[in-house]
Amino acid sequence: MRISPIVSMRKLLKVSTCCLLGAGLTAGAAMAEDLSTMSKDPSQWVIPLGNYASQRYSALTQISTTTAKNLHPVWTFSTGVLRGHEGGPLVIGNMMYLSTPFPNTVFALDLNQNGRIVWKYTPSQNSDVIPVMCCDTVNRGVAYGDGKIFLHQADTTLVALNAETGKVEWSVKDGDATKGETGTSAPLVVKDKVLVGISGGEFGIQGRMTAYNIADGKLAWKAYTSGPDDAIKFDPEHTTSMGKPVGANSSLKTWKGDQWKNGGGGTWGWISYDPALNLVYYGSGNPGTWNPTQRPGDNKWSMTVFARDLDTGTAKWVYQMTPHDQWDYDGVNEMILADVPVHGNLTKALVHFDRNGFAYVLDRTNGKLLEAEKYDPAVNWASKVDLTTGVPKVQTAYAPGDQGADHNTKNVCPAALGSKDEQPSAYSPKTHVFYVPTNHVCMDYEPFKVSYTAGQPFVGATLSMYPPKGENNLGNFIAYDVDNGKVLWTNHETFSVWSGALATAGGVVVYGTLDGNLKVVDQKNGKLLYSFKTPSGIIGNINTFEHDGKQYLAVLSGVGGWAGIGMAAGLTEDNAGLGAVGAYKSLSNYTQLGGVLTVFGLSN
Amino acid sequence: MRISPIVSMRKLLKVSTCCLLGAGLTAGAAMAEDLSTMSKDPSQWVIPLGNYASQRYSALTQISTTTAKNLHPVWTFSTGVLRGHEGGPLVIGNMMYLSTPFPNTVFALDLNQNGRIVWKYTPSQNSDVIPVMCCDTVNRGVAYGDGKIFLHQADTTLVALNAETGKVEWSVKDGDATKGETGTSAPLVVKDKVLVGISGGEFGIQGRMTAYNIADGKLAWKAYTSGPDDAIKFDPEHTTSMGKPVGANSSLKTWKGDQWKNGGGGTWGWISYDPALNLVYYGSGNPGTWNPTQRPGDNKWSMTVFARDLDTGTAKWVYQMTPHDQWDYDGVNEMILADVPVHGNLTKALVHFDRNGFAYVLDRTNGKLLEAEKYDPAVNWASKVDLTTGVPKVQTAYAPGDQGADHNTKNVCPAALGSKDEQPSAYSPKTHVFYVPTNHVCMDYEPFKVSYTAGQPFVGATLSMYPPKGENNLGNFIAYDVDNGKVLWTNHETFSVWSGALATAGGVVVYGTLDGNLKVVDQKNGKLLYSFKTPSGIIGNINTFEHDGKQYLAVLSGVGGWAGIGMAAGLTEDNAGLGAVGAYKSLSNYTQLGGVLTVFGLSN
């Protein structure tokens, strides 16, 4: 639906010559440069995680350790949608763009008018997709590029909207929701392509990353998580793992029969890109089913970091973090690209805080594993990761598959939702420190036999979750140093910190809590500088921008997501919601549903 | 649902000895004194409209013409319910109480913890009530008394909840939703009684005011709007109208046959009380149907101000403002009791800004009509009101009934939703000025024949609404002086001002706009001192309180109500929503649905 804009979009967008030229081109290599350049302008927020390196860092300094106490909301905007609001708003010129959970309405808001709606777009989608969306009906935001806003709908349609008018320029169906394939992730625009992952690991989908041409939505390449080499776009001689060529059929030979066809490996997390290497990085999720006794083998390349050539999709290197998963430790969390000291050596690193509780540091040029340390002391499923083989040393007592079929394995840490889930970390290139929102949850895990039926849950395990023994906080916000592989400081939080963090040159880190508080803390020690109780629990990411010379923070409230699924979907039984409902049941004493954007600024 | 309170409720309530004693009593005359006394403590907000006089005035002075610019939100709370949020929160000690639209969840929030939920109560109600709720599924708030919170549910159940725990103490069914009787209004507690009106004028209900004993919910009295003298609790010799006894059968003789049995006259507005006179005041709504040609006669006592003895329910005096209604000008708007100069004479006045566009000033001791002036210059259905007879001089050209059956009468002002609807005004005893949120809307009105079927709409007219010719603002916020019967100043607003106003001793008036802005203006001239864009359109009332020595404002956002019914109910046709959809269709360019409480305070 188009609403007449009040002022010319050219004025609204306030884009520089470089970008208008870029927007004028129908496609072309110029685009990557445009977004790279635009993302260096800290007044805007043009890429879902702030920049291609997924650092969620801003060079803005007005909001600082000394001024944070003067923050307050300056305007707010209800999205009109309940359930979980993940992701965060983009800011392009004077416009803000955000998307909602199903029905995935996209709003274009005018920053010159306190968020007056310039246009909105609500796709027509069959609501049958709702029950096949695992862990709430979230959408993690839109992408911008080539004068278009890209939305990955719940029903997997990727739609390109004219950024000025909201008019549909093209759309393409990326998957089949009747088979449990759904869209929840933010696309990433690089050069002439838009990349999009897929959700559905709990429905036995075949995960893949897909690149479409931004000009017309035509398929550029598609690379599966599991399957034959051509399907997974592996070059047996040149695609490497732990520094060695993977060889032929590296995926097929790790599955029993054709189980890879329902092998999961969703790609619903965040995507990063290194312009110098022309590589895109992302992770794959859990293998199907969750019952490991039904699924022998390493189940490659589930639970894997992928580095793929942007132009061709061919994998340069891979690293599987959790072979033969027995815990649902999806490997999809953000891949942070940072040139950072690791054991004293400045390194072109990829840093990844995995669901399995290990913080992985790899050489992003070649996939070599440099470090893998626990970032939550509760982690017990593995004692360590062998840096030579890359293989974790599994603790059998906490391995449901090793305990035999139908055994209820107790006190496994972390729980299935991991020491961290999709909530993206922040990294400051000034401090070289990573600021990480975490979960602090353990579980009982009881596998049961399940058969595959298209579009039906392919889970095969019953879970219950709770805090580690003797503790009562379900989350922490931590600062982490990869140089020494150590946690620098920890802020305990009542619930999982399910919000994306922001680090700035002002010396602050900002995150939100599941009970609804936006918190600004000191990068040095985590000390609270400012807190505000937003309308609902925060599972969105805090983004920042500058408008008319002033710095602002923007965050979506709206409790939900996996940790909030009990409230979001109205579940009441402890074992519903894949085990999350029980652990988080007191959440409703603190906050209620409701999607609201809050924009914060400094007092004059 | 009960949630374990963190601290003892005695501490939370922080009530004085007088009130704890009161709460300890099961019932008794002491209660009226308690609430009267409590309402004089400006740190609390214990009665829906602030005090028994419905003045919506606070003696607090911290938020003033000089400090208002330092206001900002201090905490927020999403109710988890979309659709229209009318009414406003009560504040009793350290606790805040509020209710939502259907499903009518009541929240008890702890002011010591930024609104942490102490308990919540969601009634079990059949959702079949939703389609029979005229003009959105609103609820105008709860009442407090005797240690209980009283909620009038959509399905007409009046429930008494323990204020400490949320536990149901008693409940009573006040009406029958299958016949279109619904609950939307805030109850009023006076002495040992709780009074409650009824909605359903569009469904041919029989309107009445009902008093229940607060101790156990037993019926105290019930007084109908229309019918035999005993049913309407009229004493033919002592109940007066315009200073004269009404005589026998004053209602029956103004209806054709037994049409009074489906005569409407809902009582869904606000209730006032004068402790010195022991009289309760309220108004009755439209007669059924909306087709005046089907309904000859004055249709008494629809569209009437009632003054009834609290203890017996017997009417002391009545005044019918719109005999034989042809426009749906319900007489239910708030009755403001003020000792105010009228034509130079200090008067025990009842001041009422009616939907029909006249501001009525009556002597509240005897019902004598002192003044009736238009408060919106657009009003054209009547040229004036005869102060001797009390009868309006109807302009036939704008009287649909006088134009004959099925004629589409054009450009009638005001529209059916009136120059003002339920949105309550504020009155300052310091300035003797009334601050009135108004609509500025006209209509085409086309009656059609309708027959009564229980539970089915009994409307019989098609409407379309639009601003007065040559104008484009649908609302005004005005200051009105009853001494001279004149508007003092006018703030034009894009949409109807559908929020309840607040006047304070700080010299400010506060109101909200349908597009979501909270506005603090100067009582002297309406000059804007502070504005904040809340998450959604405001149709709630702004209340104020003091906590830990600081003054706060609190308001519910959540667009909806009659003016917002298009958005709230997802209507798209211009003639749906009883004519409101077309006029307000651009509202969705400004705001979206969402129920959020915003609490404002001053910067340190």
Side-chain angles (χ1 to χ4, degrees), chain A residues 451-494:
Chain A
S451 346
Y452 176 78
T453 306
Q456 295 301 312
F458 191 51
V459 175
T462 301
L463 273 61
S464 66
M465 298 188 189
Y466 40 80
K469 262 191 181 163
E471 302 186 63
N472 55 19
N473 62 308
L474 289 164
N476 293 307
F477 188 80
I478 65 170
Y480 190 88
D481 164 39
V482 300
D483 197 4
N484 300 296
K486 288 222 151 46
V487 174
L488 299 178
W489 52 255
T490 299
N491 280 358
H492 298 302
E493 294 289 350
T494 309

Side-chain angles (χ1 to χ4, degrees), chain B residues 397-458:
Chain B
Y398 302 111
D402 296 342
Q403 295 295 314
D406 304 332
H407 181 77
N408 190 359
T409 305
K410 307 244 180 186
N411 299 314
V412 184
C413 308
L417 41 63
S419 294
K420 197 183 91 56
D421 196 86
E422 62 80 30
Q423 57 270 46
S425 312
Y427 165 75
S428 167
K430 281 178 79 175
T431 62
H432 292 313
V433 172
F434 295 79
Y435 306 96
V436 189
T438 76
N439 310 318
H440 191 57
V441 190
C442 301
M443 67 176 167
D444 299 343
Y445 192 112
E446 183 172 5
F448 63 85
K449 197 166 159 51
V450 67
S451 346
Y452 175 77
T453 306
Q456 294 301 312
F458 191 50

Side-chain angles (χ1 to χ4, degrees), chain A residues 3 72-78 80 82 107 114 116-117 120 532-535 588-594 596, chain B residues 3 72-80 82 107 114 116-117 120 532-535 588-590 592-594 596:
Chain A
I3 294 161
H72 56 78
V74 292
W75 58 269
T76 52
F77 176 78
S78 175
L82 303 175
F107 291 101
N114 283 347
R116 165 109 193 247
I117 301 165
K120 66 184 167 200
F532 184 88
K533 175 71 166 59
T534 68
S588 66
N589 299 2
Y590 293 83
T591 197
Q592 299 290 301
L593 300 181
V596 176
Chain B
I3 295 161
H72 56 77
V74 291
W75 57 269
T76 51
F77 176 78
S78 175
T79 67
L82 303 175
F107 291 102
N114 284 347
R116 165 108 194 248
I117 301 165
K120 66 184 169 199
F532 184 87
K533 175 74 167 58
T534 69
S588 66
N589 299 3
Y590 293 82
Q592 299 290 300
L593 300 181
V596 176

Side-chain angles (χ1 to χ4, degrees), chain B residues 259-548:
Chain B
Q259 286 188 335
W260 59 270
K261 289 184 175 170
N262 309 114
T267 52
W268 56 274
W270 307 98
I271 312 167
S272 303
Y273 172 66
D274 185 323
L277 300 168
N278 201 36
L279 292 176
V280 290
Y281 303 92
Y282 67 92
S284 59
N286 65 287
T289 91
W290 284 20
N291 182 344
T293 63
Q294 279 185 257
R295 182 190 17 84
D298 275 356
N299 313 129
K300 285 175 179 167
W301 294 96
S302 69
M303 309 310 219
T304 293
V305 185
F306 287 83
R308 292 188 183 273
D309 181 84
L310 170 71
D311 299 325
T312 64
T314 303
K316 180 165 169 69
W317 60 259
V318 286
Y319 169 59
Q320 189 183 40
M321 295 168 286
T322 312
H324 185 61
D325 171 66
Q326 310 181 48
W327 310 269
D328 187 45
Y329 293 151
D330 286 44
V332 303
N333 294 355
E334 74 285 359
M335 308 293 166
I336 308 171
L337 314 185
D339 296 347
V340 63
V342 180
H343 309 148
N345 305 312
L346 188 67
T347 304
K348 281 189 174 301
L350 178 153
V351 177
H352 170 78
F353 297 87
D354 196 60
R355 248 178 40 196
N356 73 18
F358 285 87
Y360 292 90
V361 183
L362 296 113
D363 182 327
R364 72 175 180 270
T365 67
N366 58 25
K368 193 177 162 194
L369 181 62
L370 305 176
E371 187 178 293
E373 296 292 336
K374 296 176 184 179
Y375 61 95
D376 181 345
V379 173
N380 65 13
W381 71 278
S383 55
K384 63 171 188 172
V385 176
D386 185 314
L387 294 185
T388 313
T389 62
V391 176
K393 184 165 175 51
V394 172
Q395 307 265 70
T396 311
Y398 302 111
D402 296 342
Q403 295 295 314
D406 304 332
H407 181 77
N408 190 359
T409 305
K410 307 244 180 186
N411 299 314
V412 184
C413 308
L417 41 63
S419 294
K420 197 183 91 56
D421 196 86
E422 62 80 30
Q423 57 270 46
S425 312
Y427 165 75
S428 167
K430 281 178 79 175
T431 62
H432 292 313
V433 172
F434 295 79
Y435 306 96
V436 189
T438 76
N439 310 318
H440 191 57
V441 190
C442 301
M443 67 176 167
D444 299 343
Y445 192 112
E446 183 172 5
F448 63 85
K449 197 166 159 51
V450 67
S451 346
Y452 175 77
T453 306
Q456 294 301 312
F458 191 50
V459 175
T462 301
L463 273 59
S464 66
M465 298 188 190
Y466 40 81
K469 262 191 181 164
E471 303 186 63
N472 55 18
N473 63 308
L474 289 164
N476 294 307
F477 187 81
I478 66 170
Y480 190 87
D481 164 39
V482 300
D483 197 5
N484 300 296
K486 288 222 152 45
V487 173
L488 298 178
W489 52 256
T490 300
N491 281 358
H492 299 301
E493 295 289 352
T494 309
F495 300 102
S496 293
V497 185
W498 208 278
S499 140
L502 170 75
T504 81
V508 299
V509 189
V510 193
Y511 63 96
T513 67
L514 209 52
D515 50 337
N517 289 295
L518 176 106
K519 294 190 173 184
V520 182
V521 304
D522 192 321
Q523 286 176 6
K524 286 196 296 293
N525 49 27
K527 196 187 145 203
L528 187 66
L529 302 169
Y530 173 77
S531 175
F532 184 87
K533 175 74 167 58
T534 69
S536 179
I538 301 177
I539 60 170
N541 306 336
I542 293 105
N543 295 351
T544 190
F545 62 97
E546 192 178 279
H547 180 64
D548 279 347

Side-chain angles (χ1 to χ4, degrees), chain A residues 313-491:
Chain A
T314 302
K316 180 166 169 67
W317 60 259
V318 286
Y319 169 59
Q320 189 183 39
M321 296 168 285
T322 312
H324 185 59
D325 171 66
Q326 311 181 47
W327 310 269
D328 188 45
Y329 294 152
D330 286 45
V332 303
N333 294 355
E334 74 285 359
M335 308 293 166
I336 308 171
L337 314 185
D339 296 346
V340 63
V342 180
H343 309 148
N345 306 312
L346 188 67
T347 304
K348 281 189 174 301
L350 177 154
V351 177
H352 170 77
F353 297 88
D354 196 59
R355 265 214 336 230
N356 71 18
F358 285 87
Y360 293 88
V361 184
L362 298 112
D363 181 327
R364 73 175 180 270
T365 67
N366 57 23
K368 194 178 161 196
L369 181 61
L370 306 176
E371 187 179 292
E373 297 292 337
K374 297 178 183 179
Y375 60 96
D376 182 345
V379 173
N380 65 11
W381 71 277
S383 55
K384 63 171 187 170
V385 176
D386 185 314
L387 295 184
T388 313
T389 62
V391 175
K393 184 166 175 50
V394 171
Q395 308 264 69
T396 311
Y398 302 111
D402 297 343
Q403 295 296 313
D406 305 332
H407 181 77
N408 190 359
T409 305
K410 307 244 180 188
N411 299 315
V412 183
C413 308
L417 42 60
S419 294
K420 196 183 93 56
D421 196 86
E422 62 79 31
Q423 57 272 45
S425 313
Y427 164 74
S428 166
K430 282 180 78 175
T431 62
H432 292 313
V433 173
F434 294 80
Y435 306 96
V436 190
T438 76
N439 310 318
H440 191 57
V441 190
C442 302
M443 67 176 169
D444 299 344
Y445 192 111
E446 183 172 6
F448 63 85
K449 197 166 159 53
V450 68
S451 346
Y452 176 78
T453 306
Q456 295 301 312
F458 191 51
V459 175
T462 301
L463 273 61
S464 66
M465 298 188 189
Y466 40 80
K469 262 191 181 163
E471 302 186 63
N472 55 19
N473 62 308
L474 289 164
N476 293 307
F477 188 80
I478 65 170
Y480 190 88
D481 164 39
V482 300
D483 197 4
N484 300 296
K486 288 222 151 46
V487 174
L488 299 178
W489 52 255
T490 299
N491 280 358

